[in-house]
Amino acid sequence: VDLLSRREFLVGAGGFAAGLAVAGAGNLLTPATLAAEAVPAWPWPYAKLDPEAARKAGYYGYYDANCSYGAAKSLLGELSKVVGHPFNTIPPDLFRFGGGGGASWGTLCGALIGASGVVSLVTKDINKVLDEMYGWYCSEPFPSAKMDGFAKFKNQPTSVCDSPLCHVSVGEWCRVSGKRVGDAERKDRCAKLTGDVCAKTVELLNALTEGKLIAAFKPDEASASCLGCHVGAKSTLENTIGKTGCVSCHPNSHKK
Amino acid sequence: VDLLSRREFLVGAGGFAAGLAVAGAGNLLTPATLAAEAVPAWPWPYAKLDPEAARKAGYYGYYDANCSYGAAKSLLGELSKVVGHPFNTIPPDLFRFGGGGGASWGTLCGALIGASGVVSLVTKDINKVLDEMYGWYCSEPFPSAKMDGFAKFKNQPTSVCDSPLCHVSVGEWCRVSGKRVGDAERKDRCAKLTGDVCAKTVELLNALTEGKLIAAFKPDEASASCLGCHVGAKSTLENTIGKTGCVSCHPNSHKK
């Protein structure tokens, strides 16, 4: 026969059939329909990971296909090791577009894009986790020295960018370091940043799993005064979307 | 027995076994490992879609869980209808984070995030497709009137934002329309924009499939003069990443 009938499959698979969301009776199960039926309901089951393993995998993942792919590969890979199915069915290639802040357009940092996708998959508290992650990103000196034991470059200069944008993050690091975007040192800085973002993601998801995630994010002081008029249902004008880092693009707003 | 052995499965599945990337001999096949083994190599096989079906699905998808999820649901859904497996194994929930430009941080437009993920899955020419998509986004008046037959609001004001950022796109539409971010009209504008982005994505991927995609994107005139010094291996400074829309954040650079 070319197809396994549902009955034949269920007889063969025994107890494992309980783990499948099976379709209506009488359908034929091919490997492809079986795979589709095996997709569990969202959110998928997170299990606590090792932040340092994710950091190292993020660093090396960057060199495979840039920041966004690297972050997704790290986190999906660690979840595949610890949980296995269904995380091993998601190709990190879905996040290739994020490199250089979205096809090198310099928008949302690609490491954040790849990591945010995996966060989206495992929790309904997406914005609670990402507010902490993006807020941390805006105030953290990158890259950390935690990969210096195996990275290509050690003791690199660090910069704080006050923005989740690749354009600002990379631009500020180039200003501080004197390096060009195409330099090997800049690439290693972004590989390390990818590792740092992966480790932070794991720390936040582990804390969320333990019920210990604290919503501590606050906009920087200068931005806070912008948001009261411009962002949120309670604001006077409510005429745009954003959370912090206003003055990096609007340094002179409302100044006389 | 609790497990189907490889031999039992191959006997049962017959010709379908050829479609699977099978692991080493002697492994046991559970439904979960079977699903993982059924993940094909990247890029996944695109088939030409109907732009208008994607547009409609994008519009309605927005109302399920915002722009980024809506765009991914539309495109993965249309591919699931036309191609089926493996597109029906990817939960669009992966892109929930993109709503409001990434957890409402206002960065890359969420409709672009969701659509870019699907583009990443089906072609190696990611940046070629996305340069056209993002360039079009920067110069297109949104929303189109193509959903007015079934949308909540008709004949809405349109705006051009010269930026791929949600913050600018939404902010500019609020300025032109006089509406607030929380208004039903603004949400319908972004639902339509999601539909427009999905239709454009299909048009670009269809053209790519036919060998007819023309790389026509050029930065706007004001930005072009910035890029010569700041972006790309041939630039004088090569000190940041980005492609166009410079003056929306840097209106006074180098002016005396």
Side-chain angles (χ1 to χ4, degrees):
Chain A
V1 292
D2 281 339
L3 299 169
L4 283 171
S5 73
R6 169 168 309 282
R7 182 180 181 84
E8 287 168 319
F9 175 74
L10 291 179
V11 169
F16 284 84
L20 288 171
V22 288
N27 291 348
L28 293 174
L29 284 168
T30 64
T33 60
L34 185 60
E37 289 181 355
V39 177
W42 174 81
W44 289 7
Y46 180 77
K48 285 176 66 181
L49 300 176
D50 173 9
E52 297 312 314
R55 191 191 309 273
K56 192 168 186 175
Y59 173 83
Y60 286 113
Y62 171 92
Y63 283 106
D64 287 343
N66 218 335
C67 46
S68 180
Y69 173 91
K73 185 185 178 190
S74 162
L75 296 167
L76 290 169
E78 293 304 307
L79 283 163
S80 295
K81 283 184 204 165
V82 174
V83 181
H85 182 80
F87 294 100
N88 51 7
T89 66
I90 302 290
D93 308 278
L94 268 166
F95 294 96
R96 282 179 183 255
F97 77 94
S104 292
W105 279 62
T107 73
L108 183 58
C109 164
L112 294 179
I113 291 176
S116 298
V118 180
V119 169
S120 291
L121 199 54
V122 299
T123 178
K124 293 183 178 179
D125 288 327
I126 299 167
N127 286 16
K128 184 178 175 183
V129 173
L130 296 186
D131 277 356
E132 296 310 305
M133 199 199 306
Y134 296 6
W136 163 83
Y137 182 96
C138 288
S139 60
E140 185 75 4
F142 291 114
S144 80
K146 293 181 179 174
M147 284 147 283
D148 279 8
F150 51 87
K152 294 183 183 178
F153 297 93
K154 300 182 201 304
N155 301 315
Q156 289 193 295
T158 63
S159 56
V160 174
C161 59
D162 193 28
S163 168
L165 300 178
C166 163
H167 175 78
V168 182
S169 179
V170 168
E172 185 61 12
W173 191 81
C174 287
R175 189 185 69 77
V176 166
S177 66
K179 298 294 175 186
R180 295 169 65 95
V181 173
D183 288 346
E185 289 90 342
R186 197 284 304 170
K187 292 175 185 170
D188 209 47
R189 176 265 184 190
C190 284
K192 290 181 195 169
L193 181 152
T194 302
D196 288 331
V197 165
C198 290
K200 183 70 178 181
T201 306
V202 167
E203 288 168 4
L204 291 169
L205 290 174
N206 286 353
L208 183 73
T209 302
E210 294 174 331
K212 291 179 182 171
L213 183 66
I214 298 164
F217 166 71
K218 287 183 183 173
D220 65 71
E221 198 172 333
S223 298
S225 73
C226 308
L227 301 179
C229 289
H230 293 290
V231 174
K234 293 177 183 171
S235 66
T236 320
L237 300 167
E238 200 199 2
N239 61 355
T240 194
I241 289 173
K243 292 199 181 170
T244 195
C246 305
V247 292
S248 65
C249 294
H250 305 287
N252 301 311
S253 288
H254 306 294
K255 283 187 182 170
K256 289 175 184 174
Chain B
V1 293
D2 280 340
L3 298 168
L4 283 170
S5 73
R6 169 169 310 281
R7 182 179 181 85
E8 287 167 321
F9 174 75
L10 292 179
V11 168
F16 283 84
L20 290 171
V22 287
N27 290 349
L28 294 174
L29 284 168
T30 65
T33 59
L34 186 60
E37 288 181 356
V39 177
W42 174 80
W44 289 7
Y46 181 77
K48 284 176 66 180
L49 300 176
D50 173 10
E52 297 312 314
R55 191 190 310 274
K56 192 168 187 175
Y59 174 82
Y60 285 114
Y62 171 91
Y63 283 106
D64 287 343
N66 219 335
C67 45
S68 180
Y69 173 90
K73 185 185 178 191
S74 162
L75 296 167
L76 290 169
E78 295 303 307
L79 283 164
S80 294
K81 282 184 204 166
V82 174
V83 181
H85 181 81
F87 293 100
N88 51 8
T89 66
I90 302 290
D93 309 278
L94 267 167
F95 294 95
R96 283 180 182 254
F97 77 94
S104 292
W105 279 63
T107 72
L108 183 59
C109 164
L112 294 179
I113 290 176
S116 299
V118 180
V119 169
S120 291
L121 198 54
V122 298
T123 178
K124 292 183 178 179
D125 288 326
I126 299 166
N127 286 16
K128 184 177 176 184
V129 173
L130 296 186
D131 277 355
E132 296 310 306
M133 198 198 307
Y134 296 7
W136 162 83
Y137 182 97
C138 288
S139 60
E140 185 75 4
F142 291 114
S144 79
K146 294 182 178 174
M147 284 146 284
D148 278 8
F150 51 87
K152 294 183 182 179
F153 297 92
K154 299 181 201 303
N155 301 315
Q156 289 193 296
T158 63
S159 56
V160 174
C161 58
D162 192 28
S163 169
L165 299 178
C166 164
H167 175 78
V168 183
S169 179
V170 168
E172 185 61 12
W173 191 81
C174 287
R175 190 185 68 76
V176 167
S177 66
K179 299 294 175 186
R180 295 170 65 95
V181 172
D183 288 345
E185 289 90 342
R186 197 285 304 171
K187 292 174 184 171
D188 210 46
R189 176 265 183 189
C190 284
K192 291 181 194 169
L193 181 152
T194 302
D196 288 331
V197 165
C198 290
K200 183 69 178 180
T201 305
V202 167
E203 288 168 6
L204 292 169
L205 289 174
N206 286 353
L208 182 72
T209 303
E210 294 174 331
K212 291 179 181 170
L213 182 66
I214 297 164
F217 166 71
K218 285 183 183 175
D220 65 73
E221 198 172 333
S223 298
S225 73
C226 307
L227 301 179
C229 289
H230 293 289
V231 174
K234 292 178 183 171
S235 66
T236 320
L237 300 168
E238 199 198 4
N239 61 355
T240 193
I241 289 173
K243 292 198 182 170
T244 195
C246 304
V247 291
S248 65
C249 294
H250 305 286
N252 300 310
S253 288
H254 305 295
K255 283 185 181 169
K256 289 173 185 172

